[in-house]
Amino acid sequence: MKDKGTRAPTPESHEEEQAARQALATVGKREFLEQFQRLTKTFASDPGNPGSYACEGCQRCANCMFCKDCSNCYQCTHCTRCELCNNCSHCVDSKSCHACAYCVQCENCTGSAYLVLCRNLSDCNYCFGCVGLSKKDFYILNVPFSRTEYFKVVNRLRKELGIP
């Protein structure tokens, strides 16, 4: 059974696969590291976006749609300038986020939405400048706010910080 997601060169026939397996069964440390380095260089030099649709300026993204200038993302949609994100939607300038939506300049966040300048949040919504929170909503710099007060303060801060 062939792995459809691989981009590295693979042997075409069953006989070639069997010969490759036999050769690798006795490979030594030096040979292994040389072949691994060669595969790594091949992957790094291929900026393709397999399975992606209508992405512009993206590199090494897979199964993404309508993204711009992203790199190394997987199954993201409508994201801009994101890196190493997966299953994200409408995120901007974010890195290493998973299953997030409408996040701006965030890093290492999971299962969250409407975050700005946040780091290491999980299952949070409407947070601004927060770090390390879990299952929190309407927080600014790790301090809780009412919904109304949150939007008032965030609108002012966004203008002062130049964040659209």
Side-chain angles (χ1 to χ4, degrees), residues 53-59 61 63-95 97-104:
Y53 177 76
C55 291
E56 298 175 17
C58 296
Q59 294 185 6
C61 294
N63 302 329
C64 295
M65 295 190 313
F66 308 109
C67 293
K68 290 184 179 182
D69 302 320
C70 295
S71 65
N72 302 294
C73 294
Y74 176 71
Q75 286 190 337
C76 292
T77 178
H78 298 90
C79 291
T80 304
R81 294 180 306 278
C82 292
E83 296 179 47
L84 299 164
C85 294
N86 62 62
N87 295 301
C88 290
S89 175
H90 298 86
C91 294
V92 178
D93 296 320
S94 294
K95 185 175 181 180
C97 291
H98 171 68
C100 289
Y102 300 96
C103 294
V104 178

Side-chain angles (χ1 to χ4, degrees), residues 12-84:
E12 293 299 320
S13 71
H14 178 69
E15 293 82 24
E16 288 174 340
E17 285 181 0
Q18 193 170 6
R21 277 195 296 276
Q22 287 175 346
L24 287 175
T26 59
V27 72
K29 175 183 176 181
R30 182 174 181 204
E31 272 183 285
F32 173 84
L33 292 174
E34 286 172 358
Q35 288 186 29
F36 180 68
Q37 186 176 24
R38 195 168 32 252
L39 282 174
T40 302
K41 283 182 182 178
T42 301
F43 178 80
S45 67
D46 179 10
N49 300 299
S52 295
Y53 177 76
C55 291
E56 298 175 17
C58 296
Q59 294 185 6
R60 289 178 287 285
C61 294
N63 302 329
C64 295
M65 295 190 313
F66 308 109
C67 293
K68 290 184 179 182
D69 302 320
C70 295
S71 65
N72 302 294
C73 294
Y74 176 71
Q75 286 190 337
C76 292
T77 178
H78 298 90
C79 291
T80 304
R81 294 180 306 278
C82 292
E83 296 179 47
L84 299 164

Side-chain angles (χ1 to χ4, degrees), residues 3 20 23-24 66 78 85 103 106-107 109-110 132 135 142 150 157:
D3 179 9
L24 287 175
F66 308 109
H78 298 90
C85 294
C103 294
C106 294
E107 194 170 328
C109 296
T110 303
K135 299 183 182 188
N142 289 20
Y150 172 86
L157 286 172

